[in-house]
Amino acid sequence: MTPPPELGHLVSLENWELDEGSPFPLGVTWLGDQQAWNFALYSQNATAVTLLLYAHDDPINPIFQYQLSEIDNKSSRIWHCMVFENNAGKAKYYAYRIDGPKGPESGHQFDPGKILLDPLATAVYFPPQFSRHICSQSGPTHGHAPLGILPQAQDLDTLPSIPPPRHTHDAVIYEVHVKGFTAHPSSEVSTEKRGTFLGLIEKIPYLKELGVTVVELLPIHQFDPQEGNYWGYMTLNFFAPHQGYANHDPLVEFQTMVRAFHEAGLEIWLDVVYNHTCEGDATGPTYSWRGIDSKSYYLTDDRGHYWNDSGCGNTLRCAHPATRALILRSLKHWANLGVDGFRFDLASVLARDTQGQVLVEDAPVVSEISVLAALLDVRLVAEAWDIGAYLLGQCYPGLLWRQWNGQFRDDIRAFVKGDPGKVPALMRRLYGSDDLFPDGPGDVYHPYQSVNFVTAHDGFCLYDLVSYNHKHNEINGHGNTDGTDSNLSWNCGWEGDIHVPSEILRVRRQQVKNFFCLLMLANGTPMFCAGDEFLNTQNGNNNPYNQDNEITWLDWSQLQENRDIFRFFQKMIAFRKSRQSLGRSRYWREDVTWYGPEGATDLRPESHTLAYALSGARFQEGDLYVMINAFWEPVRFTVQEGEARDWRRAVDTSLPSPEDMAEPSAYRALDSLTYSVAARSVVVLVRDRAVGGGQITSWGRES
């Protein structure tokens, strides 16, 4: 199925366009009134363009060919033509053959033997003899290259829409791989739906039970099924849902999933990859952009070599008008399908000009995406770095975008691990990272623009973070050279899981709770990785990008074995969502007071402790008093506000379940302002606040 007409349509036609075609919109457009298709393709440097149409039972020999005239079928740099259905026979698929200047040293890669996929095709067909290998060689690729699917009149139906949910202080992002979430038999998802969009629907009750409110999917754009990138970061097409995630029609099943999530009050965000494509470096396949106009779509040096700031062989020339049009059309397409937000992989690439230089003031495509997002009411999140640029914080030109806060990850990991000198950094991260996102004078940022995380798909999962000092990526096939060596991990005294002593396991579980507790207490927008809540492991592999197997498929039997950890995550999420004082639009400012164990904040390099009091009066909520001890011995803290009878203990990560995260009715009152905080643990106290004639409880609701 092809997408709804909101993607772009011709609202009027001049007489000559019936003969010549229209340059807009790019891609292929079905014109019901004319019973014809309009084709439009950008190629600045092509000298010959031929449109090819194929029947459904023969993807090798075209049943219709149209040699576009450089005079009659070209406007500026756009080639276009009109094909009437009665002239096209039983055409089902389409592609192009393109010729142009030769010489890779000039940046051109034209080859008239290559069959080329339209970059704006909205559905992709893989012929039976599809071959990445053959498409990577010299010579023709008839029958081996992916084709676009022609839109038909009946394809324009859409599912009815419902108002999408929008979460603010209660936004908790959950990063999910569509296949890995339900592929394992232990997921208890219907066999035919495992690893699919429909399989995710069956897990909605679990997501609601856990309490997350935003599900961020790893890339679901159609990626090359023969490239070997399980994560999906090798995009072949920016408009079609990946066929491997569906049983029948990917578009219908994707829309069905989005609607089900919206009905459950869950937002859907997509991880999108507009910084490179699956065509790789000069040895990679020619599927589309390379053969259509490589110099326009890709950044190259003065010898014609591809830039590789993505680490995947090529870098898109995002500031070029053709690429900008592609990105904007793609985003509008997915927003029209109900997507609520986008996380941009290596988003600093979007900030580069047509020559590849970083623009921190006014990057055209970033500005255009920002305007589009405002019109479509979608959220934007940047991973604000790439191999050649690090723009985290106010350096990124998308001033209102959220950003993945890699500094939060590193500082929290280092503090919990026990590294010296990390107390000031911990304070910054809990406060909302105002060093990265300042609230004036000048530009005024919000703390929620910081997407706080300790783990993501890239790097150790949470259990491995406390179980391995070193990566163990041998199975990836790169001699353990892939993946970062800077993990800031600590194995708690034992590498891996073989014959691990019970005391080591106890410390690991406590460290997991410490990480998640601090994540939920910090100002900003929290995110964590699916499976962390029941101690999922990837056996120490911190880069399992090519492991489509039980290494990356969640083993749901761990949920029952680690139900106490799941409960802690669930209750901490509920605790955060109930308190607007934690995740605010503004910084805590005068509502927070920082302390040490028994006086002023201890900022010495050898310090591993911090306490703070957070007032909830601004939101008619109770107050918090948090005591944090990353030292390897117990530390006696003195609560420095109020009386002992004012405070009740909500959290103590050193205690067994369910005392580690108590139900509100079971909060334990203090009998003294002195509290011994166990080694490597976090304690959270709550104080109710009387308001008017009622009592505001520690959960912020009037009783």
Side-chain angles (χ1 to χ4, degrees), residues 410-439:
D410 294 347
D411 288 339
I412 298 299
R413 285 187 178 191
F415 175 83
V416 173
K417 174 173 173 275
D419 286 354
K422 301 306 296 185
V423 170
L426 174 66
M427 295 169 65
R428 281 283 199 190
R429 303 307 149 227
L430 291 173
Y431 186 70
S433 296
D434 65 329
D435 56 333
L436 300 173
F437 305 97
D439 59 345

Side-chain angles (χ1 to χ4, degrees), residues 40-112:
L41 180 77
Y42 182 99
S43 183
Q44 175 181 353
N45 297 292
T47 58
V49 175
T50 302
L51 172 69
L52 310 172
L53 302 185
Y54 300 84
H56 76 281
D57 56 352
D58 187 356
I60 300 175
N61 303 294
I63 61 172
F64 179 88
Q65 299 187 47
Y66 192 121
Q67 177 74 50
L68 278 69
S69 166
E70 196 167 8
I71 300 299
D72 296 331
N73 298 111
K74 191 178 181 186
S75 299
S76 182
R77 299 169 178 177
I78 299 174
W79 301 73
H80 49 82
C81 67
M82 186 81 66
V83 177
F84 291 88
E85 186 178 38
N86 58 7
N87 294 328
K90 297 182 179 180
K92 176 76 172 181
Y93 312 119
Y94 76 106
Y96 292 93
R97 279 201 314 262
I98 299 181
D99 202 359
K102 304 299 188 290
E105 69 281 353
S106 65
H108 297 305
Q109 299 283 347
F110 292 107
D111 183 344

Side-chain angles (χ1 to χ4, degrees), residues 506-693:
R506 185 197 66 79
V507 176
R508 288 179 179 176
R509 299 169 82 86
Q510 188 166 310
Q511 288 287 77
V512 165
K513 291 190 288 185
N514 290 337
F515 276 120
F516 196 70
C517 185
L518 293 176
L519 178 65
M520 290 297 109
L521 292 175
N523 203 359
T525 303
M527 183 193 81
F528 67 103
C529 199
D532 282 348
E533 70 273 19
F534 51 77
L535 304 184
N536 172 65
T537 180
Q538 296 179 154
N539 304 323
N541 193 329
N542 75 352
N543 189 42
Y545 75 98
N546 60 357
Q547 298 301 314
D548 186 1
N549 50 48
E550 293 194 359
I551 291 175
T552 53
W553 300 351
L554 296 190
D555 181 357
W556 290 84
S557 67
Q558 295 296 309
L559 174 60
Q560 298 308 317
E561 295 180 19
N562 301 298
R563 197 77 194 185
D564 58 326
I565 300 297
F566 171 84
R567 180 189 178 278
F568 185 86
F569 275 57
Q570 177 192 50
K571 299 302 180 184
M572 279 303 311
I573 291 172
F575 185 84
R576 177 185 178 84
K577 287 164 60 179
S578 70
R579 290 182 169 275
Q580 297 183 58
S581 58
L582 285 172
R584 307 186 183 191
S585 171
R586 304 295 176 180
Y587 291 96
W588 291 343
R589 295 174 181 164
E590 66 275 8
D591 286 346
V592 67
T593 306
W594 303 97
Y595 298 106
E598 294 186 344
T601 310
D602 187 352
L603 302 178
R604 296 174 301 160
E606 59 269 28
S607 173
H608 299 276
T609 58
L610 177 68
Y612 65 91
L614 180 64
S615 170
R618 189 183 304 274
F619 302 95
Q620 296 187 340
E621 296 174 351
D623 305 327
L624 302 181
Y625 198 95
V626 180
M627 297 174 284
I628 307 168
N629 179 22
F631 195 51
W632 35 93
E633 294 179 2
V635 173
R636 188 171 296 276
F637 281 70
T638 298
V639 179
Q640 299 179 58
E641 293 194 4
E643 305 292 334
R645 64 177 181 270
D646 298 335
W647 296 101
R648 294 182 295 153
R649 186 186 69 211
V651 180
D652 187 334
T653 61
S654 71
L655 298 177
S657 183
E659 296 178 80
D660 54 356
M661 175 76 237
E663 298 285 354
S665 60
Y667 287 172
R668 181 178 174 181
L670 297 190
D671 52 17
S672 168
L673 286 175
T674 300
Y675 193 103
S676 180
V677 179
R680 302 188 186 276
S681 66
V682 180
V683 175
V684 181
L685 308 177
V686 298
R687 176 171 59 181
D688 297 341
R689 179 179 297 276
V691 178

Side-chain angles (χ1 to χ4, degrees), residues 66 143 147 197 239 341 346 408 467 532 540 550 583 603 679:
Y66 192 121
L147 307 175
F197 297 126
F239 296 87
L346 301 183
F408 181 98
S467 303
D532 282 348
E550 293 194 359
L603 302 178

Side-chain angles (χ1 to χ4, degrees), residues 347 350-352 363-371 380 396-399 401:
L350 300 174
R352 297 182 179 278
V365 71
V366 174
S367 299
E368 290 165 350
I369 291 172
S370 300
V371 172
L380 304 175
Y396 192 73
L399 300 182
W401 293 35

